[in-house]
Amino acid sequence: MHTVLGANGVIAQELSKALVSSSTRIRQVSRNPRRVNQTDETMVCDLLDAQATANAVSGSEVVYLVAGLKYDASVWQEQWPQVMRNVINACKQHDARLVFFDNIYAYGRVDGLMTEETPFNPISKKGEVRATIATMLLDEIRSGKLRAMIVRAADFYGPSAVQSFPHATVFERLKVGKAPQWIGNPNTVHTFTFTPDAGHAVAVLGRSSEAYGQTWHLPTTKELLTGADFVRLACEIATQPYKLQVAPRWMLKLMGIFMPVLRENEEMMYQFEHDYRFDSSKIESAFRLQATPYRLGISESLQSGTQNQVQ
């Protein structure tokens, strides 16, 4: 039994497609879980409820924590430590291995490559929360009481990644003939992880006993494109002239007064104002996994889904 805590999200979907086999049972767990594969089990669970979490983990060999919470620092501060503690306790109670899907917020601003050895140096409230819960899990691993690992990805893009930054600002706008948009400095490098690559790699790691007790960066292309380069390539693939709209910082602050999601993104803007270079050499070497090149990944992303009107 491989149990996915945080069903319905893009990583849960890609992971579930990669896990499916005649010998693997998959349990989808969330407040409103849906099957990805016909044979999936579903279980309703609120991960803030310790007993419900223990029930969801019962019978599992491997548990994947891929849940997301509302993008709000105060919600993260209150709920993420509780979710992590409930999941850790449930996995220890039922002797299940744990794979935690994390982001890179705990690293803070990094000059150079982000690797698995990059120390935690958060410069945001959300980064502080991520550092806290990752440290909580690492302490359990070091104690020998839990077999677990942390996997990390850069920002997402991909065919089903409809909540990703490039989806709304680049791909959907190109689909309706509008100029792509960017935030921050479009002349800085910003690497993106292709979601099908992430899902496949997490499935490989979860089934590999030697991967536990470690941190892994998921396969991410080594092509160092700036934001402008990314948009230029997307325009070329979409056979449209290169255009780019960049919202100035003052406008984003003003819009943040009325749009909570932009207000919450203010503390993370450093990621788009300085180079953001994510390295996955470790997993490439250990498991011979390779990232999808941007040209192919952007092409698949542009071809996916229906055209949604972008205002």
Side-chain angles (χ1 to χ4, degrees):
M1 176 70 74
H2 287 242
T3 295
V4 180
L5 302 179
N8 305 341
V10 62
I11 295 302
Q13 293 173 28
E14 297 291 357
L15 168 62
S16 299
K17 287 187 285 187
L19 281 174
V20 68
S21 73
S22 59
S23 60
T24 302
R25 294 164 58 203
I26 300 172
R27 177 184 292 159
Q28 304 287 351
V29 178
S30 72
R31 290 178 176 174
N32 184 30
R34 297 188 297 271
R35 292 183 180 89
V36 176
N37 312 294
Q38 287 187 347
T39 55
D40 291 354
E41 297 179 14
T42 60
M43 181 177 290
V44 174
C45 172
D46 180 351
L47 296 177
L48 293 169
D49 183 325
Q51 186 57 56
T53 303
N55 293 342
V57 167
S58 177
S60 303
E61 178 183 359
V62 181
V63 172
Y64 303 87
L65 178 54
V66 296
L69 298 180
K70 181 181 177 183
Y71 200 69
D72 181 288
S74 60
V75 171
W76 282 30
Q77 288 167 336
E78 177 186 356
Q79 296 186 1
W80 258 122
Q82 186 176 350
V83 167
M84 180 59 77
R85 177 49 57 196
N86 288 347
V87 173
I88 287 173
N89 289 344
C91 288
K92 288 165 68 175
Q93 177 183 341
H94 294 289
D95 195 26
R97 301 197 299 267
L98 174 60
V99 180
F100 172 45
F101 194 103
D102 199 7
N103 60 30
I104 53 83
Y105 288 7
Y107 295 154
R109 178 186 166 185
V110 179
D111 293 322
L113 293 177
M114 289 179 273
T115 73
E116 291 86 348
E117 303 303 317
T118 298
F120 293 167
N121 185 30
I123 59 173
S124 65
K125 292 178 181 178
K126 297 183 190 72
E128 290 172 354
V129 173
R130 285 289 179 167
T132 295
I133 61 175
T135 300
M136 187 187 305
L137 181 54
L138 290 170
D139 286 345
E140 293 286 347
I141 293 172
R142 282 189 286 262
S143 75
K145 298 176 181 178
L146 177 68
R147 292 192 68 194
M149 73 175 83
I150 296 175
V151 301
R152 293 197 172 96
D155 283 344
F156 297 156
Y157 83 110
S160 301
V162 296
Q163 301 298 323
S164 69
F165 171 75
H167 176 82
T169 62
V170 180
F171 305 141
E172 288 301 292
R173 292 185 66 84
L174 284 173
K175 287 179 183 180
V176 294
K178 294 191 175 184
Q181 298 173 327
W182 206 258
I183 59 174
N185 181 354
N187 297 314
T188 58
V189 171
H190 197 100
T191 45
F192 290 93
T193 301
F194 191 52
T195 47
D197 291 347
H200 173 68
V202 174
V204 170
L205 291 170
R207 287 171 163 151
S208 304
S209 60
E210 66 271 25
Y212 288 85
Q214 302 182 57
T215 295
W216 298 90
H217 279 186
L218 301 176
T220 301
T221 180
K222 288 181 165 50
E223 301 167 87
L224 297 180
L225 299 190
T226 64
D229 293 334
F230 186 95
V231 170
R232 186 176 288 106
L233 180 57
C235 289
E236 176 190 331
I237 293 169
T239 64
Q240 296 186 33
Y242 169 67
K243 294 180 181 179
L244 176 60
Q245 298 176 355
V246 181
R249 185 72 177 266
W250 65 265
M251 182 180 293
L252 291 174
K253 287 185 176 180
L254 182 63
M255 294 168 66
I257 297 174
F258 308 99
M259 300 174 66
V261 67
L262 285 180
R263 186 165 61 247
E264 281 295 322
N265 196 54
E266 169 68 19
E267 69 169 1
M268 308 309 303
M269 278 296 293
Y270 69 90
Q271 296 185 116
F272 284 91
E273 293 172 339
H274 305 278
D275 283 349
Y276 174 110
R277 299 170 60 194
F278 183 88
D279 181 78
S280 57
S281 297
K282 177 181 174 181
I283 196 171
E284 293 165 22
S285 175
F287 290 93
R288 299 292 185 263
L289 296 177
Q290 294 296 319
T292 298
Y294 278 132
R295 180 172 291 276
L296 179 56
I298 290 173
S299 179
E300 291 186 15
S301 300
L302 283 167
Q303 293 170 14
S304 70
T306 57
Q307 292 188 356
N308 298 321
Q309 184 64 39
V310 179
Q311 301 300 326

